[in-house]
Amino acid sequence: MFADRTGAVRAVHDPTGHGRAPRRLAPSQAGTNQGGDEMLGPRQYLELAQGTIGYRETGRGDPVVFVHGVCCNSSAWRGVAPALADNWRCITPDFPLGSHSPAVPDADLSLPGQAEIVVGVLDALGLDRAVIVGNGYGGDIAQLVAARHPDRVAALVLVGPNVDRSYHWTAKAVVTMAKLPGAEASTRMLLPRRTFQRLPIIYGWVTKRPIPDAIMAEYVGPAVQDRAVRRDLIRFLRGVTPEYLARASAQVRRFERPVLVVSPDEDKVFPRDAARQLAADLPQGQFATIADSFAWAPEDQPAELAQLLLEFLPTASAVSGH
């Protein structure tokens, strides 16, 4: 079993301001981003040093923490986590990557800063270590967790990640746009528009199929409706650089526990050949592909991704010796 600090109190924050008792908030108390509760569990809140982080969880067993990409939230895992819930405790936080609420204005939102938020989630939930599953830029964050805190990672799953200095032109374009004057106002005006959403630089080249309207409302709503969240998003984007992952390359490749690298076969953004090489370089690396999917396999092919995890996780648990 992956280590869990038994008896630890979960630090759950009440965003209503009426107290901070460690308790589960009812969906009506937890804010507006409630889609997928029936699959992922009701949203709860953790009070971290960086600010308040929402999360949901379902299932029982060894812990698996899922790290989504930019401009989405825990609902990205709605088709994956429930399939694992019979044997795994699936924890799906809303990381501050643009679709979160509340805002975290004082947090370090760089990629290393996001990695520290992952570790903060583990601490707040009393977890010594967990399997970390990351998709897209969530895969970058997961790699940094493994590089900086290898003792906290029982196993690693990277789905369509960047590798080393990879930096696709779509990412460069978004980062450049985020640095322009008026970026906040442009985000508020353009992000709700469906034609804008399907552009290659937004969701068009990470999902092969349009995201369902209700889920898209969850993804774009916080940044459109809340100026502080919009500022968080712009602050994160302005800090995106391949240098963080490049500097961590050697540490990532020294990670000794099991790693599954998954490369969707129609990925247009993240480097498939480099992902395959990364798996080959790792001491316990495995490589798999998913057909008929762009980078965000949790959206395009959730059942296929869940099946890969169901096959990998028991092996990873046995090899890790927990």
Side-chain angles (χ1 to χ4, degrees):
M1 297 289 288
F2 300 122
D4 188 339
R5 297 189 187 111
T6 56
V9 176
R10 296 181 191 175
V12 181
H13 172 61
D14 180 351
T16 63
H18 300 309
R20 296 189 179 184
R23 62 187 177 89
R24 181 186 292 268
L25 298 180
S28 60
Q29 293 175 285
T32 58
N33 264 355
Q34 296 305 316
D37 283 354
E38 69 282 1
M39 294 176 282
L40 296 170
R43 188 170 269 105
Q44 306 173 73
Y45 290 84
L46 298 169
E47 187 69 16
L48 309 184
Q50 297 91 342
T52 303
I53 300 295
Y55 80 104
R56 297 185 279 191
E57 69 170 88
T58 185
R60 300 176 66 86
D62 294 341
V64 182
V65 175
F66 294 82
V67 188
H68 57 75
V70 183
C71 281
C72 62
N73 59 23
S74 55
S75 287
W77 305 106
R78 66 194 180 281
V80 178
L84 312 180
D86 285 348
N87 296 296
W88 304 88
R89 179 184 174 190
C90 298
I91 300 160
T92 53
D94 301 318
F95 291 100
L97 294 165
S99 301
H100 59 289
S101 182
V104 287
D106 298 323
D108 175 2
L109 298 185
S110 67
L111 288 170
Q114 298 282 349
E116 295 306 311
I117 292 173
V118 175
V119 174
V121 169
L122 298 182
D123 289 341
L125 293 175
L127 301 174
D128 285 331
R129 69 174 65 159
V131 176
I132 308 295
V133 180
N135 177 221
Y137 271 93
D140 297 35
I141 295 166
Q143 289 179 72
L144 291 176
V145 176
R148 296 159 69 97
H149 303 278
D151 57 316
R152 308 302 299 272
V153 182
L156 194 61
V157 180
L158 307 173
V159 185
N162 278 306
V163 178
D164 300 333
R165 293 184 181 276
S166 61
Y167 193 37
H168 195 263
W169 72 262
T170 54
K172 295 177 185 177
V174 171
V175 169
T176 299
M177 291 171 61
K179 293 178 179 179
L180 294 175
E184 287 183 30
S186 298
T187 299
R188 182 175 183 273
M189 179 180 67
L190 295 174
L191 201 54
R193 299 185 180 183
R194 188 171 301 184
T195 52
F196 182 74
Q197 293 165 5
R198 294 308 300 169
L199 290 177
I201 61 171
I202 310 300
Y203 298 98
W205 273 16
V206 292
T207 63
K208 187 173 182 178
R209 301 160 187 83
I211 296 169
D213 289 346
I215 301 301
M216 183 62 79
E218 278 204 34
Y219 290 174
V220 304
V224 171
Q225 298 165 10
D226 187 333
R227 186 180 184 184
V229 172
R230 197 157 58 248
R231 287 178 169 174
D232 283 352
L233 171 60
I234 297 299
R235 191 155 52 93
F236 166 75
L237 292 174
R238 287 174 175 172
V240 169
T241 169
E243 294 305 314
Y244 293 124
L245 207 53
R247 288 197 292 266
S249 174
Q251 295 98 310
V252 169
R253 283 165 170 78
R254 286 196 294 266
F255 182 72
E256 296 181 346
R257 295 195 175 100
V259 180
L260 174 64
V261 182
V262 181
S263 184
D265 68 355
E266 296 183 47
D267 193 338
K268 293 176 175 289
V269 175
F270 299 98
R272 284 172 286 168
D273 290 343
R276 185 186 296 273
Q277 185 60 53
L278 175 62
D281 292 343
L282 289 160
Q284 294 194 57
Q286 302 177 39
F287 183 79
T289 61
I290 291 181
D292 192 28
S293 177
F294 287 1
W296 284 13
E299 289 287 349
D300 280 340
Q301 295 293 347
E304 286 73 8
L305 178 57
Q307 184 58 41
L308 287 175
L309 293 175
L310 287 169
E311 295 168 0
F312 171 75
L313 291 175
T315 304
S317 179
V319 171
S320 295
H322 297 281

